[in-house]
Amino acid sequence: MKFFIDTANLDEIKEAYDLGVLDGVTTNPSLMAKEGISGDEKVRAHYKAICDIVDDNVSAEVISTDFEGMIKEGKELAKIDNKIVVKVPMIGDGVKAIKYFHNEGIRTNCTLVFSAGQAILAAKAGASFVSPFIGRLDDISYDGLELIEQIVHIYDNYGFATQVLAASVRHSMHLIKCAELGADVVTCPLKVITGLLKHPLTDSGLAQFLADHAKAAGK
């Protein structure tokens, strides 16, 4: 399973990368705005700064919702760095754009996916990644993890190359369950990844080891 961090904060990206487990980054206009990044030039410069930190897979989202606009933006984003994956919304023109980018050799991440049917369309069009939003589905009393299971099963049935990227991952158990279900990638906040480090028995065991060492050393 690949770990992506869902943020535009450079310090958080560096921290996750330094941990040695980071495989990529996902961003969106809301995350850029949260960091005070606005204007095309500044946004693209920020994407380049992210690419300079990580090894690959930086999802950069188009703003346009029409085919021509998405193609223009996507090409410009792809020029920033070969690590860029163009993030495209699950709408009709988005599916057309994904097919276009696929034929041009530009990787894509189909975002805002909330059904197995949408995931099938994205895979048929040639998306590199499909992003089902499990947390947002949970918010409306639908089991987001069930959707991950459905998509993984369907993709396995037909050998689709599209990777299942579980998005809107809210906590560490979400991540663990996605791993159990066979998601190829999870994208989540830094706290979800670092949350995997924590266990009370690890803390108490380490404290005991250190106390025993101190005692044996006569401290």
Side-chain angles (χ1 to χ4, degrees), residues 129-143:
F129 301 94
V130 62
S131 291
F133 279 46
I134 60 176
R136 294 194 193 184
L137 283 169
D138 289 351
D139 290 343
I140 61 169
S141 300
Y142 184 90
D143 187 353

Side-chain angles (χ1 to χ4, degrees), residues 184-213:
D184 300 288
V185 191
V186 291
T187 188
C188 54
L190 177 62
K191 66 179 181 180
V192 174
I193 297 174
T194 56
L196 298 175
L197 292 166
K198 300 174 184 177
H199 195 285
L201 292 180
T202 300
D203 296 339
S204 62
L206 181 59
Q208 185 63 55
F209 293 156
L210 293 174
D212 291 344
H213 173 73

Side-chain angles (χ1 to χ4, degrees), residues 1-6 23-27 57-60 85-87 108-114 119 122 127-135 144 147-148 151-152 155 161-169 178 182-188:
M1 171 182 271
K2 296 184 180 75
F3 282 9
F4 291 0
I5 186 172
D6 193 37
D23 300 292
V25 178
T26 56
T27 62
N57 302 309
V58 177
S59 285
V85 179
V86 179
K87 201 172 181 183
T108 54
N109 175 0
C110 185
T111 189
L112 293 171
V113 169
F114 294 97
S128 307
F129 301 94
V130 62
S131 291
F133 279 46
I134 60 176
L147 178 59
I148 298 295
I151 297 172
V152 168
Y155 282 12
T162 302
Q163 296 185 53
V164 180
L165 194 168
S168 189
V169 171
C178 287
D184 300 288
V185 191
V186 291
T187 188
C188 54

Side-chain angles (χ1 to χ4, degrees), residues 39-204:
D40 289 346
E41 288 188 14
K42 289 183 179 179
V43 167
R44 287 170 191 159
H46 201 74
Y47 279 133
K48 180 58 180 173
I50 293 172
C51 289
D52 289 343
I53 297 171
V54 300
D55 297 327
D56 198 5
N57 302 309
V58 177
S59 285
E61 188 163 348
V62 298
I63 306 300
S64 296
T65 56
D66 64 283
F67 176 78
E68 290 79 10
M70 284 187 273
I71 298 306
K72 181 181 178 182
E73 284 185 48
K75 286 182 175 180
E76 291 172 352
L77 290 170
K79 288 178 183 177
I80 295 171
D81 196 285
N82 60 13
K83 299 173 187 177
I84 291 288
V85 179
V86 179
K87 201 172 181 183
V88 180
M90 170 39 72
I91 54 178
D93 276 8
V95 174
K96 293 177 185 178
I98 288 167
K99 183 65 174 180
Y100 177 90
F101 288 133
H102 175 70
N103 291 339
E104 292 293 313
I106 295 173
R107 293 180 296 166
T108 54
N109 175 0
C110 185
T111 189
L112 293 171
V113 169
F114 294 97
S115 74
Q118 290 177 326
I120 292 171
L121 290 175
K124 289 280 288 180
S128 307
F129 301 94
V130 62
S131 291
F133 279 46
I134 60 176
R136 294 194 193 184
L137 283 169
D138 289 351
D139 290 343
I140 61 169
S141 300
Y142 184 90
D143 187 353
L145 290 168
E146 181 179 334
L147 178 59
I148 298 295
E149 185 174 20
Q150 279 185 310
I151 297 172
V152 168
H153 179 68
I154 291 168
Y155 282 12
D156 286 347
N157 278 349
Y158 298 101
F160 285 127
T162 302
Q163 296 185 53
V164 180
L165 194 168
S168 189
V169 171
R170 301 279 177 77
H171 46 74
S172 297
M173 282 311 300
H174 260 167
L175 190 155
I176 295 297
K177 289 296 183 182
C178 287
E180 289 180 343
L181 294 170
D184 300 288
V185 191
V186 291
T187 188
C188 54
L190 177 62
K191 66 179 181 180
V192 174
I193 297 174
T194 56
L196 298 175
L197 292 166
K198 300 174 184 177
H199 195 285
L201 292 180
T202 300
D203 296 339
S204 62

